Amino acid sequence: MKGELKDFALARIFGPSPTEYATSMRTLVESSAWKDEKDLVKSYDDSMSYAYFKGRIEKNEKIFSNLLKSIDIVTQERDNTEYEVTDLDHYYEFLGGLSRTVQDKRGEKAEILVIDSTEEEVVVDDLKIAIERATRTRTLNPIWIEGMLKHDFHGAKKIKDRVEYLLAFAATTGKVESWVFDKVADRLIFDEGMRNRLKQNNPYATMKINELLLESARRGYWKVEKERLKHLQNIILKMEGDIE
């Protein structure tokens, strides 16, 4: 096998094309232009299968796929308090993208861990715990929301981003419990006062939060009662009329 693979048998560093910074997965998620999770896997696979050698870079999806079959644990280090795992799209893109692609290649899920080295004592958490902590301290935190809403237009957009990243993590890792979406909907949309404040800050971002919640339900990540879903749909219809 090693003779057949030649020097690719030693390939261990893979990444995007040298002309790209990341993957095409973010575009799929941002536009909701993916049919199912296989589309996200294909995007990650295609973008990240460039082997980096000394003096050359060469794409080889077969070798990349073979290596992914041997992965049991996927990890992400959090080394500063400025960012939680739901604060940047690159977390779901790389941690989530790798995890879901490993699952596709192996036929079973890898363990997904976040290594928190922000304090003197290093803590290792399951991604589920890290996501829930991030959601409580950011997206559901009234003090954090107040800080965001001090920034006209941009504030509600940043809040919207966190909801988008939750959906992406649900799709790529399965580590977002349904109750998380319940709490997000209650805090940001079903609370009329908060919804109006978000609309005043940025009606388009607020509309997108509605749509992301609806998408989460449609894709099966949010197990929501029919009455609550109907209420959300009515809010969307009213907002569409207001924006027009």
Side-chain angles (χ1 to χ4, degrees), residues 160-175:
K160 181 276 299 179
D161 287 345
R162 269 65 177 186
V163 182
E164 182 178 288
Y165 305 160
L166 283 174
L167 168 58
F169 263 130
T172 56
T173 70
K175 293 287 187 176

PDB file of all heavy atoms in Angstrom, residues 160-175:
ATOM      1  N   LYS A 160     -27.762  37.423  15.611  1.00  0.00           N
ATOM      2  CA  LYS A 160     -28.206  36.494  14.559  1.00  0.00           C
ATOM      3  C   LYS A 160     -27.127  35.478  14.234  1.00  0.00           C
ATOM      4  O   LYS A 160     -27.395  34.286  14.033  1.00  0.00           O
ATOM      5  CB  LYS A 160     -28.587  37.290  13.306  1.00  0.00           C
ATOM      6  CG  LYS A 160     -29.086  36.459  12.122  1.00  0.00           C
ATOM      7  CD  LYS A 160     -27.996  35.888  11.240  1.00  0.00           C
ATOM      8  CE  LYS A 160     -27.144  36.970  10.597  1.00  0.00           C
ATOM      9  NZ  LYS A 160     -26.072  36.318   9.751  1.00  0.00           N
ATOM     10  N   ASP A 161     -25.879  35.928  14.175  1.00  0.00           N
ATOM     11  CA  ASP A 161     -24.776  35.027  13.833  1.00  0.00           C
ATOM     12  C   ASP A 161     -24.711  33.848  14.799  1.00  0.00           C
ATOM     13  O   ASP A 161     -24.489  32.702  14.391  1.00  0.00           O
ATOM     14  CB  ASP A 161     -23.442  35.772  13.873  1.00  0.00           C
ATOM     15  CG  ASP A 161     -23.255  36.726  12.700  1.00  0.00           C
ATOM     16  OD1 ASP A 161     -24.007  36.604  11.711  1.00  0.00           O
ATOM     17  OD2 ASP A 161     -22.362  37.583  12.773  1.00  0.00           O
ATOM     18  N   ARG A 162     -24.893  34.115  16.090  1.00  0.00           N
ATOM     19  CA  ARG A 162     -24.815  33.032  17.085  1.00  0.00           C
ATOM     20  C   ARG A 162     -25.903  31.984  16.848  1.00  0.00           C
ATOM     21  O   ARG A 162     -25.668  30.787  17.049  1.00  0.00           O
ATOM     22  CB  ARG A 162     -24.950  33.583  18.499  1.00  0.00           C
ATOM     23  CG  ARG A 162     -23.652  33.966  19.175  1.00  0.00           C
ATOM     24  CD  ARG A 162     -22.960  35.105  18.512  1.00  0.00           C
ATOM     25  NE  ARG A 162     -21.743  35.502  19.234  1.00  0.00           N
ATOM     26  CZ  ARG A 162     -21.023  36.568  18.889  1.00  0.00           C
ATOM     27  NH1 ARG A 162     -21.385  37.332  17.866  1.00  0.00           N
ATOM     28  NH2 ARG A 162     -19.917  36.860  19.548  1.00  0.00           N
ATOM     29  N   VAL A 163     -27.081  32.415  16.426  1.00  0.00           N
ATOM     30  CA  VAL A 163     -28.158  31.470  16.140  1.00  0.00           C
ATOM     31  C   VAL A 163     -27.796  30.626  14.914  1.00  0.00           C
ATOM     32  O   VAL A 163     -28.026  29.417  14.878  1.00  0.00           O
ATOM     33  CB  VAL A 163     -29.494  32.211  15.932  1.00  0.00           C
ATOM     34  CG1 VAL A 163     -30.623  31.215  15.682  1.00  0.00           C
ATOM     35  CG2 VAL A 163     -29.822  33.086  17.137  1.00  0.00           C
ATOM     36  N   GLU A 164     -27.209  31.272  13.926  1.00  0.00           N
ATOM     37  CA  GLU A 164     -26.765  30.560  12.716  1.00  0.00           C
ATOM     38  C   GLU A 164     -25.721  29.502  13.055  1.00  0.00           C
ATOM     39  O   GLU A 164     -25.762  28.373  12.540  1.00  0.00           O
ATOM     40  CB  GLU A 164     -26.189  31.568  11.728  1.00  0.00           C
ATOM     41  CG  GLU A 164     -25.738  30.968  10.406  1.00  0.00           C
ATOM     42  CD  GLU A 164     -25.235  32.053   9.480  1.00  0.00           C
ATOM     43  OE1 GLU A 164     -26.080  32.832   8.983  1.00  0.00           O
ATOM     44  OE2 GLU A 164     -24.011  32.128   9.256  1.00  0.00           O
ATOM     45  N   TYR A 165     -24.794  29.838  13.952  1.00  0.00           N
ATOM     46  CA  TYR A 165     -23.733  28.899  14.310  1.00  0.00           C
ATOM     47  C   TYR A 165     -24.287  27.721  15.116  1.00  0.00           C
ATOM     48  O   TYR A 165     -23.768  26.601  15.018  1.00  0.00           O
ATOM     49  CB  TYR A 165     -22.631  29.611  15.096  1.00  0.00           C
ATOM     50  CG  TYR A 165     -22.037  30.815  14.387  1.00  0.00           C
ATOM     51  CD1 TYR A 165     -21.339  31.799  15.095  1.00  0.00           C
ATOM     52  CD2 TYR A 165     -22.186  30.997  13.008  1.00  0.00           C
ATOM     53  CE1 TYR A 165     -20.800  32.906  14.451  1.00  0.00           C
ATOM     54  CE2 TYR A 165     -21.666  32.112  12.370  1.00  0.00           C
ATOM     55  CZ  TYR A 165     -20.977  33.061  13.091  1.00  0.00           C
ATOM     56  OH  TYR A 165     -20.449  34.155  12.456  1.00  0.00           O
ATOM     57  N   LEU A 166     -25.328  27.967  15.912  1.00  0.00           N
ATOM     58  CA  LEU A 166     -25.981  26.862  16.617  1.00  0.00           C
ATOM     59  C   LEU A 166     -26.579  25.867  15.633  1.00  0.00           C
ATOM     60  O   LEU A 166     -26.439  24.644  15.794  1.00  0.00           O
ATOM     61  CB  LEU A 166     -27.075  27.396  17.543  1.00  0.00           C
ATOM     62  CG  LEU A 166     -26.637  28.036  18.856  1.00  0.00           C
ATOM     63  CD1 LEU A 166     -27.840  28.635  19.566  1.00  0.00           C
ATOM     64  CD2 LEU A 166     -25.930  27.025  19.757  1.00  0.00           C
ATOM     65  N   LEU A 167     -27.255  26.377  14.628  1.00  0.00           N
ATOM     66  CA  LEU A 167     -27.823  25.508  13.599  1.00  0.00           C
ATOM     67  C   LEU A 167     -26.719  24.705  12.909  1.00  0.00           C
ATOM     68  O   LEU A 167     -26.854  23.491  12.692  1.00  0.00           O
ATOM     69  CB  LEU A 167     -28.592  26.346  12.572  1.00  0.00           C
ATOM     70  CG  LEU A 167     -29.024  25.636  11.275  1.00  0.00           C
ATOM     71  CD1 LEU A 167     -29.905  24.436  11.584  1.00  0.00           C
ATOM     72  CD2 LEU A 167     -29.744  26.615  10.357  1.00  0.00           C
ATOM     73  N   ALA A 168     -25.615  25.363  12.592  1.00  0.00           N
ATOM     74  CA  ALA A 168     -24.512  24.685  11.908  1.00  0.00           C
ATOM     75  C   ALA A 168     -23.878  23.612  12.790  1.00  0.00           C
ATOM     76  O   ALA A 168     -23.528  22.521  12.312  1.00  0.00           O
ATOM     77  CB  ALA A 168     -23.466  25.707  11.478  1.00  0.00           C
ATOM     78  N   PHE A 169     -23.733  23.898  14.084  1.00  0.00           N
ATOM     79  CA  PHE A 169     -23.197  22.899  15.000  1.00  0.00           C
ATOM     80  C   PHE A 169     -24.163  21.713  15.144  1.00  0.00           C
ATOM     81  O   PHE A 169     -23.724  20.557  15.257  1.00  0.00           O
ATOM     82  CB  PHE A 169     -22.924  23.511  16.376  1.00  0.00           C
ATOM     83  CG  PHE A 169     -21.505  23.933  16.590  1.00  0.00           C
ATOM     84  CD1 PHE A 169     -21.211  25.200  17.071  1.00  0.00           C
ATOM     85  CD2 PHE A 169     -20.457  23.060  16.335  1.00  0.00           C
ATOM     86  CE1 PHE A 169     -19.889  25.594  17.286  1.00  0.00           C
ATOM     87  CE2 PHE A 169     -19.134  23.447  16.547  1.00  0.00           C
ATOM     88  CZ  PHE A 169     -18.855  24.713  17.028  1.00  0.00           C
ATOM     89  N   ALA A 170     -25.453  21.994  15.152  1.00  0.00           N
ATOM     90  CA  ALA A 170     -26.435  20.918  15.222  1.00  0.00           C
ATOM     91  C   ALA A 170     -26.289  19.995  14.010  1.00  0.00           C
ATOM     92  O   ALA A 170     -26.350  18.768  14.133  1.00  0.00           O
ATOM     93  CB  ALA A 170     -27.848  21.493  15.287  1.00  0.00           C
ATOM     94  N   ALA A 171     -26.070  20.595  12.857  1.00  0.00           N
ATOM     95  CA  ALA A 171     -25.955  19.824  11.624  1.00  0.00           C
ATOM     96  C   ALA A 171     -24.662  19.026  11.556  1.00  0.00           C
ATOM     97  O   ALA A 171     -24.643  17.887  11.078  1.00  0.00           O
ATOM     98  CB  ALA A 171     -26.047  20.764  10.417  1.00  0.00           C
ATOM     99  N   THR A 172     -23.572  19.608  12.038  1.00  0.00           N
ATOM    100  CA  THR A 172     -22.271  18.971  11.865  1.00  0.00           C
ATOM    101  C   THR A 172     -21.850  18.080  13.022  1.00  0.00           C
ATOM    102  O   THR A 172     -21.004  17.203  12.850  1.00  0.00           O
ATOM    103  CB  THR A 172     -21.173  20.029  11.640  1.00  0.00           C
ATOM    104  OG1 THR A 172     -21.182  20.967  12.732  1.00  0.00           O
ATOM    105  CG2 THR A 172     -21.391  20.769  10.333  1.00  0.00           C
ATOM    106  N   THR A 173     -22.437  18.287  14.206  1.00  0.00           N
ATOM    107  CA  THR A 173     -22.003  17.506  15.367  1.00  0.00           C
ATOM    108  C   THR A 173     -23.127  16.809  16.109  1.00  0.00           C
ATOM    109  O   THR A 173     -22.868  15.873  16.864  1.00  0.00           O
ATOM    110  CB  THR A 173     -21.246  18.404  16.369  1.00  0.00           C
ATOM    111  OG1 THR A 173     -22.181  19.308  16.994  1.00  0.00           O
ATOM    112  CG2 THR A 173     -20.138  19.188  15.697  1.00  0.00           C
ATOM    113  N   GLY A 174     -24.345  17.278  15.968  1.00  0.00           N
ATOM    114  CA  GLY A 174     -25.449  16.719  16.739  1.00  0.00           C
ATOM    115  C   GLY A 174     -25.355  17.039  18.215  1.00  0.00           C
ATOM    116  O   GLY A 174     -25.984  16.378  19.053  1.00  0.00           O
ATOM    117  N   LYS A 175     -24.602  18.096  18.568  1.00  0.00           N
ATOM    118  CA  LYS A 175     -24.334  18.414  19.975  1.00  0.00           C
ATOM    119  C   LYS A 175     -25.179  19.585  20.505  1.00  0.00           C
ATOM    120  O   LYS A 175     -24.888  20.102  21.579  1.00  0.00           O
ATOM    121  CB  LYS A 175     -22.851  18.740  20.152  1.00  0.00           C
ATOM    122  CG  LYS A 175     -21.923  17.562  19.921  1.00  0.00           C
ATOM    123  CD  LYS A 175     -21.986  16.554  21.053  1.00  0.00           C
ATOM    124  CE  LYS A 175     -20.937  15.468  20.919  1.00  0.00           C
ATOM    125  NZ  LYS A 175     -20.944  14.536  22.062  1.00  0.00           N
TER     126      LYS A 175
END
